[in-house]
Amino acid sequence: MDLTNLNAPQREAVEATEGAVLVLAGAGSGKTRVLTTRAAYLVEKGVPPFHILALTFTNKAAAEMKSRIASIVPNADDMWVMTFHALCARLLRIEAEYLGYSGSFTIYDAGDAMTVVKDILKELNVGKEAVEPRTVRYMISRAKNDGVSPARFREVYGEGDTVRYSAMVYARYEDRLRANNAMDFDDLLLKTLLLFEEYPEVLEKYRRRFRYIMVDEYQDTNSVQYRIVELLAKGSGNIFAVGDDDQSIYGWRGADIRNILDFEKSFPDARVIRLEQNYRSHQGILDAANGVIRHNSGRMGKELWSSVKTGQKPLEFEAESDLEEAQFVAEKAASLLREGKYTADDIAVLYRVNSQSRVLENKLKERGVPYVIYGGQSFYERKEIKDLLAYLNLLCNPDADLCFLRAIQTPKRGIGDVSLGKLFAAAQAQRRSLFDISADPDGIGKKAAESLKDFRGLIESLRRQSEELSVMQIVERTFEDSGLRAMMMSDATPEGRIRLLNIEEFFKSIADFERDTPAPHTLAGFLERSALISDVDAVGDDEGKIMLMTLHSAKGLEFPVVFITGMQEGLLPHQMSLMDGDVEEERRLCYVGMTRAKKRLYLTWSATRYVRSGAGFERMPCRRSRFLEEIPNGCIEPAVVKRQTAAYISREPVSHSPYSFAVQGKISMPPAAPEQIKKASHAPAAFTAGVLVSHPKFGRGQIVSTNGEGDEKIAVVRFDTAGEKKMFVAFAPLEIMQG
């Protein structure tokens, strides 16, 4: 094979065919090329394809890997290239009888598993007020990924009602699945591990089959996946693991970073190869990212580098509030699109939690910037937001049948589909609204009629109160009295916590409305404003769109332009990690976000943020993220913003205030209205190293170096009498001298 297209460490990894090999593949270092080339190289060296097993985490990644291998070597179909779950399902179809199952077992998806949990809770007479079915399902899944049996459940997870109920359901859940010859997705892993541990002859059979094992994204393996791989690999000793300890960001869903950090303990003769050349970003971005991740102690160590040495340094923007931060992102994105150097598809806006998208979406829509939420929903399309909006719209318009149907079923009130069907048919026949006809329902059961009466009474009570209470007060009262708050509080899953964060952000949107719009403030006015903001027609469906996504969703992607928003203590790193006293995974998350950028990286945060205080929201100061503090001096510059007039950046020492920029020198620009800003008389491109310039205050000077382009181009000018100064050449009063 021709390996000349590989760099030296990549080639070393491909040619390391025997023994245990760990490839620490940095972001953008070409790990997929190494994996696929190595698989083809093994075949060329005489290894039968059916002796090769390649494991990854997504069907998409597995399909891509198999396609690439097939384009290089024949007989690729004989090679097992698949996800962990697909491998285990295939093995169990063959060997299920060892565990008391038939090979035709059913695989329960998430919906099937939830149905079983709900049925068991009903049998135990445990209602939602005691524990949410979602929480129980999450706890069972967590236990299976941790390898914890029903017998050890309470021993491992402690006491409390949630643990007690989950333990009771877990035992019955396992019995129910076995009786139905069924397994859930977690069982596929756990039962395969059980098969290997309890039946050595089965393990030996597959050790002989899989002589060469390759694992992608090794840092994302959980304890069960790690044990399966370890048992298989102990046969031939040939394991090739590719991963990046600096990109381990899924600890919350079971990934164990110790699997990659302790690789050399598991395989004492292991060879470690580092892929450090990055083919994605320029060196300026990598210098900043390396500076951040260097502060983690739990890592094996590597330094990313690029052959592209020039490029715009990362830019930091400190906003006065999260609204101004979102405004900056929207205006900068619009500006980049107007310049024509980037398309909407080239730009990504990243944030730590989904709730941060609300103000970003609002400002992007105001500016007419097309966007799409990647891997998620628009803020106003999320279920918890639509549930609450259904109640609020019903208060203003009782004739809104769709809102009536949504509200009356969330949370459940003992009014089934049959009763609702009869109510709907009667409303249609009499040409009345559902709310109107609910006053005298006919033909439905006594229990349903009582529930309907209670619901109608709730809405009427809230409508009366809405005439006297503020918008914030009536929304809070609705959230409480409707049962939505109790329903969400009982959901202890990670998704449940995210829903509560989204509701908190919704309350913040009300505070924004009451603060930023003229009185009188009415619920109807707020709903109209929300409807206009959430109108997806405002975003052009036929255009390219910039991507909005969480930092977790961004892993594996790359963009020419990346914004990371909310870089302040409590958001990034997130408050939960600060409470736990462990911010290393948060730092890895920040590192992942920074290394998505190819050409431009914007890091933004707000010096104040509105937070709930008592009955309302109060503006509170925010501290600059420690990750910004960790970026080395000279590796980041302040972003140009329109609220500032152009002047210069002095060589004064950096303030250690949590609101200062991390640059060698601080910005010295008095605030001014946008119309006061004046551009320099020369285009930014005219200012290059060696050019002689004059300044009305500093006199004659020469440009030593420049960084960036357009309005963000900064020049270091050495003046004859004033020394070196940094200046934004697009705005500074510099004149180019002839000769």
Side-chain angles (χ1 to χ4, degrees):
M1 287 183 65
D2 180 11
L3 303 181
T4 57
N5 63 335
L6 304 177
N7 63 37
Q10 289 175 335
R11 181 164 184 164
E12 180 186 358
V14 167
E15 294 178 337
T17 59
E18 305 301 313
V21 180
L22 173 63
V23 178
L24 290 177
S29 62
K31 71 177 180 68
T32 304
R33 173 187 289 183
V34 169
L35 276 163
T36 54
T37 305
R38 184 178 187 270
Y41 185 77
L42 285 170
V43 175
E44 187 181 72
K45 297 291 286 184
V47 176
F50 60 80
H51 277 327
I52 301 172
L53 170 65
L55 295 170
T56 187
F57 279 83
T58 66
N59 290 314
K60 180 180 178 182
E64 181 184 355
M65 192 185 303
K66 193 158 191 173
S67 174
R68 287 201 195 184
I69 295 169
S71 68
I72 304 173
V73 297
N75 305 322
D77 288 342
D78 294 335
M79 193 182 300
W80 283 28
V81 183
M82 58 190 64
T83 66
F84 275 93
H85 286 89
L87 166 71
C88 293
R90 186 178 294 189
L91 294 181
L92 289 170
R93 291 289 184 205
I94 300 169
E95 314 294 351
E97 291 184 3
Y98 280 93
L99 301 176
Y101 291 82
S102 76
S104 60
F105 64 84
T106 300
I107 299 174
Y108 279 5
D109 63 17
D112 298 328
M114 182 63 76
T115 298
V116 176
V117 167
K118 288 179 178 178
D119 287 346
I120 295 171
L121 284 169
K122 190 173 181 180
E123 291 172 7
L124 295 171
N125 199 28
V126 176
K128 285 187 176 182
E129 65 280 358
V131 64
E132 268 285 330
R134 274 193 301 266
T135 299
V136 175
R137 176 71 192 106
Y138 165 73
M139 292 295 291
I140 292 173
S141 178
R142 176 182 172 187
K144 290 189 176 186
N145 281 289
D146 289 344
V148 177
S149 66
R152 295 185 58 241
F153 190 89
R154 295 180 71 173
E155 171 193 336
V156 173
Y157 300 116
E159 297 301 323
D161 287 346
T162 298
V163 172
R164 181 164 58 88
Y165 288 128
S166 297
M168 293 166 59
V169 174
Y170 188 11
R172 294 196 182 198
Y173 178 87
E174 289 295 271
D175 291 341
R176 183 74 56 86
L177 262 63
R178 183 175 289 276
N180 285 273
N181 193 39
M183 298 184 195
D184 62 24
F185 272 83
D186 298 315
D187 281 328
L188 298 178
L189 300 177
L190 196 57
K191 303 296 187 194
T192 300
L193 178 58
L194 183 67
L195 183 70
F196 286 167
E197 288 180 333
E198 297 196 357
Y199 299 95
E201 66 274 22
V202 176
L203 174 61
E204 186 58 33
K205 171 183 175 181
Y206 290 100
R207 279 178 171 175
R208 289 194 302 269
R209 169 68 189 267
F210 303 125
R211 305 293 297 170
Y212 295 86
I213 299 171
M214 300 193 297
V215 185
D216 190 15
E217 304 287 8
Y218 193 74
Q219 79 281 349
D220 292 338
T221 54
N222 62 29
S223 58
V224 177
Q225 291 163 332
Y226 163 77
R227 184 70 180 136
I228 290 171
V229 169
E230 183 188 40
L231 286 171
L232 283 172
K234 290 292 185 182
S236 65
N238 296 327
I239 177 171
F240 184 82
V242 180
D244 185 0
D245 51 330
D246 290 335
Q247 295 190 76
S248 179
I249 60 173
Y250 297 117
W252 51 277
R253 70 182 189 196
D256 191 343
I257 192 174
R258 291 174 299 180
N259 295 345
I260 192 168
L261 296 180
D262 294 343
F263 187 86
E264 292 171 282
K265 292 181 182 178
S266 302
F267 303 96
D269 297 325
R271 181 175 174 184
V272 179
I273 300 171
R274 288 171 170 79
L275 304 184
E276 297 174 294
Q277 183 174 0
N278 177 283
Y279 293 92
R280 175 186 301 153
S281 312
H282 61 72
Q283 193 63 48
I285 292 172
L286 299 181
D287 286 341
N290 286 334
V292 172
I293 200 61
R294 208 177 287 134
H295 286 76
N296 266 7
S297 58
R299 65 190 296 257
M300 300 182 74
K302 64 182 176 303
E303 288 278 311
L304 293 184
W305 63 275
S306 172
S307 61
V308 181
K309 302 301 181 185
T310 59
Q312 172 70 66
K313 290 180 182 179
L315 295 168
E316 176 185 355
F317 176 65
E318 174 192 346
E320 293 179 359
S321 68
D322 53 342
L323 291 175
E324 187 186 48
E325 180 184 20
Q327 183 73 18
F328 168 79
V329 172
E331 290 185 353
K332 180 55 65 177
S335 174
L336 292 171
L337 296 178
R338 281 196 307 271
E339 290 174 7
K341 294 180 180 178
Y342 301 101
T343 65
D345 306 286
D346 291 333
I347 303 172
V349 182
L350 312 182
Y351 38 80
R352 177 63 179 83
V353 291
N354 278 306
S355 57
Q356 289 174 256
S357 79
R358 199 262 309 175
V359 289
L360 291 165
E361 289 186 67
N362 291 358
K363 294 301 180 184
L364 288 168
K365 283 175 177 172
E366 286 176 9
R367 297 288 299 180
V369 177
Y371 73 87
V372 64
I373 304 288
Y374 178 87
Q377 292 174 303
S378 172
F379 181 82
Y380 292 97
E381 289 298 310
R382 290 167 186 148
K383 181 182 182 301
E384 58 275 12
I385 303 302
K386 294 188 77 170
D387 288 341
L388 182 51
L389 281 171
Y391 279 92
L392 301 179
N393 277 292
L394 199 57
L395 300 189
C396 293
N397 176 20
D399 293 335
D401 283 354
L402 287 178
C403 295
F404 180 95
L405 288 170
R406 188 178 191 106
I408 202 169
Q409 296 181 88
T410 313
K412 297 293 185 182
R413 302 179 184 278
I415 305 173
D417 292 341
V418 173
S419 296
L420 284 175
K422 291 179 179 178
L423 194 70
F424 185 77
Q428 292 288 95
Q430 299 178 41
R431 296 188 177 183
R432 297 164 66 187
S433 70
L434 288 171
F435 185 82
D436 185 26
I437 205 167
S438 67
D440 53 348
D442 192 24
I444 65 174
K446 183 178 179 181
K447 183 179 178 182
E450 284 296 318
S451 296
L452 194 61
K453 179 182 177 182
D454 291 343
F455 177 75
R456 182 183 174 86
L458 166 70
I459 300 301
E460 289 178 333
S461 172
L462 290 170
R463 290 192 72 199
R464 288 192 298 270
Q465 294 176 67
S466 68
E467 297 175 3
E468 301 175 357
L469 300 177
S470 70
V471 178
M472 179 68 77
Q473 289 171 330
I474 190 58
V475 175
E476 288 181 325
R477 186 71 56 84
T478 301
F479 186 53
E480 180 72 37
D481 293 355
S482 65
L484 288 173
R485 182 180 182 276
M487 180 185 76
M488 292 186 195
M489 289 294 289
S490 66
D491 184 357
T493 66
E495 293 80 7
R497 290 194 291 272
I498 290 171
R499 291 187 188 98
L500 284 172
L501 284 174
N502 289 337
I503 289 293
E504 187 71 10
E505 186 64 25
F506 182 78
F507 283 127
K508 192 164 166 294
S509 73
I510 300 168
D512 292 345
F513 167 74
E514 293 182 329
R515 184 180 63 251
D516 299 336
T517 60
H521 300 130
T522 64
L523 180 59
F526 169 72
L527 292 174
E528 180 180 339
R529 181 173 181 262
S530 297
L532 291 173
I533 289 173
S534 60
D535 181 6
V536 294
D537 292 335
V539 180
D541 289 333
D542 297 328
E543 302 176 74
K545 297 178 175 66
I546 71 172
M547 295 282 194
L548 270 61
M549 68 185 79
T550 63
L551 286 158
H552 283 99
S553 298
K555 187 172 181 293
L557 304 176
E558 60 181 44
F559 302 89
V561 180
V562 170
F563 294 84
I564 303 181
T565 62
M567 291 200 65
Q568 57 216 48
E569 296 291 297
L571 275 180
L572 187 64
H574 196 272
Q575 186 62 37
M576 288 187 290
S577 71
L578 297 177
M579 292 169 62
D580 294 340
D582 181 10
V583 299
E584 295 217 345
E585 183 159 318
E586 293 289 300
R587 188 174 282 110
R588 293 193 291 269
L589 193 58
C590 179
Y591 173 80
V592 165
M594 295 174 75
T595 53
R596 299 311 94 192
K598 298 167 71 174
K599 295 182 178 179
R600 291 197 181 189
L601 174 61
Y602 297 88
L603 307 172
T604 72
W605 66 288
S606 56
T608 63
R609 189 175 181 85
Y610 281 93
V611 296
R612 186 178 291 275
S613 176
F617 281 80
E618 181 181 352
R619 181 180 284 190
M620 300 292 288
C622 299
R623 287 186 57 230
R624 185 171 182 259
S625 172
R626 67 192 66 192
F627 304 148
L628 286 171
E629 301 280 357
E630 291 166 359
I631 296 175
N633 283 343
C635 291
I636 189 170
E637 301 282 6
V640 178
V641 290
K642 287 186 177 180
R643 72 167 188 264
Q644 297 167 319
T645 54
Y648 63 93
I649 301 176
S650 70
R651 278 295 186 184
E652 298 172 41
V654 178
S655 163
H656 289 288
S657 158
Y659 312 131
S660 64
F661 286 118
V663 294
Q664 191 174 358
K666 65 179 183 181
I667 197 159
S668 177
M669 297 183 177
E675 60 270 17
Q676 292 177 294
I677 297 174
K678 294 181 180 179
K679 291 252 183 176
S681 56
H682 304 281
F687 295 94
T688 58
V691 169
L692 295 175
V693 296
S694 65
H695 187 280
K697 180 177 180 181
F698 304 121
R700 182 180 181 277
Q702 185 175 28
I703 297 177
V704 178
S705 63
T706 63
N707 179 56
E709 57 189 23
D711 286 356
E712 291 160 353
K713 188 171 187 177
I714 293 174
V716 176
V717 184
R718 183 181 294 119
F719 291 97
D720 295 343
T721 57
E724 286 190 0
K725 305 289 182 184
K726 283 185 179 180
M727 300 186 173
F728 292 110
V729 297
F731 302 101
L734 288 174
E735 289 295 332
I736 294 177
M737 299 174 64
Q738 301 302 321

